[in-house]
Structure formats: C-alpha cells, structure tokens
Amino acid sequence: MPELVFFSGTMDCGKSTLALQIEHNRSARGLQGMIFTRDDRAGEGKLSSRLGLVTDAVEVEDGQDLYAYLVDHLSQGRRADYVIADEAQFLAPGQIDQLARVVDDLGLDVYAFGITTDFRSKLFPGSQRLVELADRVEVLQVEALCWCGARATHNARTIGGQMVVEGAQVVVGDVNQPDDIGYEVLCRRHHRRRMTAATAHAGALSPDVLPVETA
C-alpha cells in the first residue's frame, strides 16, 4: 500500500542526503519521481545536501496545489512513480493535506523530509500536519551533536554567534557564516540556556560550571 512517510530530525541529521539517496535508488531501477522543495540552501528549484550533492526539483510556491500539479503532470502523459518533498516544514498545512491525497487518490508513495520544530522549539505548521496525517513518522538515526558533544535535539537561530528567540519563523540563513543570521543545533540544556558554541567559549566562567564555595 502507498504511504505518506515523514522523515524528521534536527538540522545536520542527513534528511536531504536521505532524500537524494531515495531518489538515486529508485531512478536506478527505472522509476521516475516528482521532487518538491522550498527554500533550499542551494537556491530555487534545487534539492541539496550539506555533503555537496544536488539535483533539480520543483520549487513550491505559496498557495500552490500540489495534488493538482501531479494530476496535470500525469494527464499530460508524463510519469511520476513516487513523490519526494524536501524542506516539508515550510509547506502550508493545506499542502500537506494535498500530499496525503496524492497517496490516497493517486496511489503514489510520498516521502516528506523536514525539521520538526523551529528555533523557538515550536512546531512548524507543515511538520505538525505531517505528524497528524503521516502513515509513518521516522526519526532519523544519524545524530547531530551539540557543541558540548551531547545529542542535539533543538535548532537555534544565531546572529553574530548569539542565540535569538524572537523573529519570523522562516528566515533562510547560512550555518557557515556566524557573523550573519545562522543556525546551530544544540542539546535541550544549552538551548534553554541560550549557549551557542560561540558564547560558551566567550567567558571564563560558564553557567555549566558548578559554583565553588569558600570556607
């Protein structure tokens, strides 16, 4: 039976790499996929991973009906044996419903990849709808690590290396340019304390250090 599968995790856990691997494995067997993405780091109409792999994709626009897009594609005699939706957290809840309809009405597997929560530890609307509708939710097992070495569970937005907790939910930044808007993965403890890699090493006394009492 066709399924809607949501592959989720933090940044740096290999979501886009897995999406590209699924595309490679199926295309190598003669299958043709429809790839949707939105706001990829490589630019419009691209699906890319931080390992440097990239392929073309359909850039999803505000208000676009993904089900109607697939129906039109198929009605023109073109093939689509499965669907990949990367950066699915940026899709509107209604577009997630359309992907579910692709599974139910068109009989195609849909593999969605996305971050579950934003930099404030709040669910992205698209991710929330995927959790509600998906046949399966798969948490990726490639663990991203906080600067302290613990398993990273939260995404942080930084400006000049300083963690921020206010602002628009979606701002595309560069994880490799800490002087501008960037993103970093943190464990829950350091996300709560707003301690990024930059700020953790900025002072001589870290909040993680236990106080020493003098007699």
Side-chain angles (χ1 to χ4, degrees):
M1 295 293 291
E3 291 184 307
L4 171 60
V5 186
F6 179 33
F7 295 92
S8 69
T10 63
M11 297 181 302
D12 299 332
C13 72
K15 297 181 302 300
S16 296
T17 302
L18 179 58
L20 288 161
Q21 185 68 53
I22 288 177
E23 163 65 12
H24 170 76
N25 290 351
R26 281 155 179 72
S27 62
R29 295 294 180 263
L31 300 176
Q32 295 183 19
M34 174 66 67
I35 304 176
F36 292 114
T37 191
R38 177 153 189 172
D39 295 332
D40 188 273
R41 68 183 69 83
E44 184 173 337
K46 298 293 181 183
L47 164 58
S48 69
S49 78
R50 289 192 175 90
L51 298 182
L53 305 173
V54 63
T55 192
D56 292 330
V58 175
E59 184 76 15
V60 178
E61 301 176 355
D62 289 339
Q64 183 176 3
D65 189 324
L66 304 184
Y67 176 81
Y69 187 95
L70 262 298
V71 169
D72 181 65
H73 178 85
L74 295 170
S75 67
Q76 295 182 38
R78 302 174 183 174
R79 284 182 60 186
D81 301 307
Y82 59 92
V83 175
I84 290 174
D86 196 34
E87 305 294 355
Q89 73 273 8
F90 296 146
L91 300 182
Q95 291 172 324
I96 303 302
D97 284 82
Q98 294 156 13
L99 291 177
R101 189 180 178 191
V102 168
V103 176
D104 297 338
D105 294 358
L106 301 182
L108 302 180
D109 284 314
V110 174
Y111 306 102
F113 301 80
I115 297 170
T116 309
T117 58
D118 64 15
F119 69 103
R120 302 164 300 180
S121 300
K122 303 294 184 181
L123 285 168
F124 281 101
S127 298
Q128 177 178 334
R129 193 61 178 145
L130 275 164
V131 171
E132 294 166 348
L133 291 182
D135 297 292
R136 285 190 291 127
V137 176
E138 300 282 350
V139 178
L140 296 189
Q141 298 303 308
V142 178
E143 293 185 351
L145 299 179
C146 177
W147 59 264
C148 69
R151 178 173 177 263
T153 55
H154 290 64
N155 305 296
R157 179 181 294 170
T158 62
I159 297 180
Q162 301 285 330
M163 179 175 160
V164 295
V165 293
E166 296 181 352
Q169 186 175 53
V170 179
V171 176
V172 179
D174 190 336
V175 297
N176 297 315
Q177 295 183 6
D179 291 336
D180 301 317
I181 294 177
Y183 290 90
E184 182 178 343
V185 289
L186 300 172
C187 64
R188 183 181 63 237
R189 178 176 60 171
H190 289 129
H191 190 277
R192 288 178 56 246
R193 296 178 179 180
R194 303 185 188 181
M195 290 183 64
T196 65
T199 59
H201 300 96
L205 181 62
S206 166
D208 286 336
V209 178
L210 294 175
V212 178
E213 295 183 1
T214 60

